[in-house]
């Protein structure tokens, strides 16, 4: 329950921060519009509000990502925990495979020695 409460507090805090950032961008844009009306560098200031307003959607997307982050972290944590619990089983499987390979190598080695012992020795006679 404490983790759930903590997660919801983090989510609401992140939502508040994202909203404040968005409001700051909007306020800055409004301020720049006012400056545009009285500024001698009209052409340069004219570009700024559009650029700032274009960032508003990025800020909203960031808000959504921040809201989803606790769930993603929790899910990732669960997968890591599950993987860690599987490590002893993986070690057992690796040991079984190693034992099987060792047994097969010994068997092949014995078969090879057995074949070499039963092969007739061919003698080559030189014909003059």
């Amino acid at each position: 329950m404490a983790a759930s409460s903590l997660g919801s507090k983090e989510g609401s805090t992140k939502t508040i921060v994202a909203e404040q950032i968005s409001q700051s961008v909007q306020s800055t844009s409004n301020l720049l519009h006012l400056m545009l009306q009285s500024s001698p560098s009209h052409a340069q200031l004219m570009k700024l509000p559009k650029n700032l307003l274009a960032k508003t959607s990025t800020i909203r997307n960031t808000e959504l990502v921040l809201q989803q982050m606790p769930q993603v972290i929790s899910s990732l944590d669960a997968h890591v925990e599950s993987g860690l619990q599987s490590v002893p089983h993986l070690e057992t499987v690796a040991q079984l495979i190693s034992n099987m390979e060792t047994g097969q190598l010994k068997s092949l080695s014995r078969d090879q020695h057995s074949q070499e012992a039963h092969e007739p020795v061919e003698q080559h006679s030189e014909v003059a």
Side-chain angles (χ1 to χ4, degrees):
M1 287 242 171
S4 174
S5 173
L6 181 61
S8 65
K9 285 180 184 177
E10 286 177 5
S12 63
T13 301
K14 290 173 184 173
T15 302
I16 290 169
V17 169
E19 188 61 37
Q20 287 176 347
I21 292 170
S22 183
Q23 287 175 1
S24 295
V25 169
Q26 189 66 43
S27 296
T28 304
S29 177
N30 291 340
L31 178 63
L32 288 171
H33 280 295
L34 291 172
M35 290 172 65
L36 261 174
Q37 296 169 0
S38 63
S39 174
S41 58
H42 184 73
Q44 289 179 342
L45 285 174
M46 203 160 159
K47 296 176 185 176
L48 289 175
K50 291 178 185 175
N51 291 340
L52 286 173
L53 288 174
K55 306 249 185 262
T56 304
S57 65
T58 302
I59 292 168
R60 296 255 184 237
N61 289 337
T62 302
E63 174 186 6
L64 293 174
V65 169
L66 289 173
Q67 287 174 348
Q68 294 172 0
M69 196 60 76
Q71 294 167 331
V72 170
I73 291 171
S74 177
S75 177
L76 182 61
D77 188 44
H79 285 294
V80 168
E81 184 65 32
S82 174
L84 289 174
Q85 290 176 357
S86 299
V87 168
H89 301 295
L90 293 174
E91 289 173 350
T92 302
V93 169
Q95 186 62 46
L96 287 170
I97 291 171
S98 176
N99 291 346
M100 289 172 59
E101 289 173 343
T102 302
Q104 288 175 348
L105 289 173
K106 286 180 181 177
S107 175
L108 286 172
S109 178
R110 273 182 288 190
D111 289 347
Q112 189 176 14
H113 288 302
S114 175
Q115 269 183 340
E116 289 173 359
H118 292 334
E119 285 181 2
V121 176
E122 293 182 19
Q123 295 180 0
H124 298 287
S125 57
E126 293 181 24
V127 178

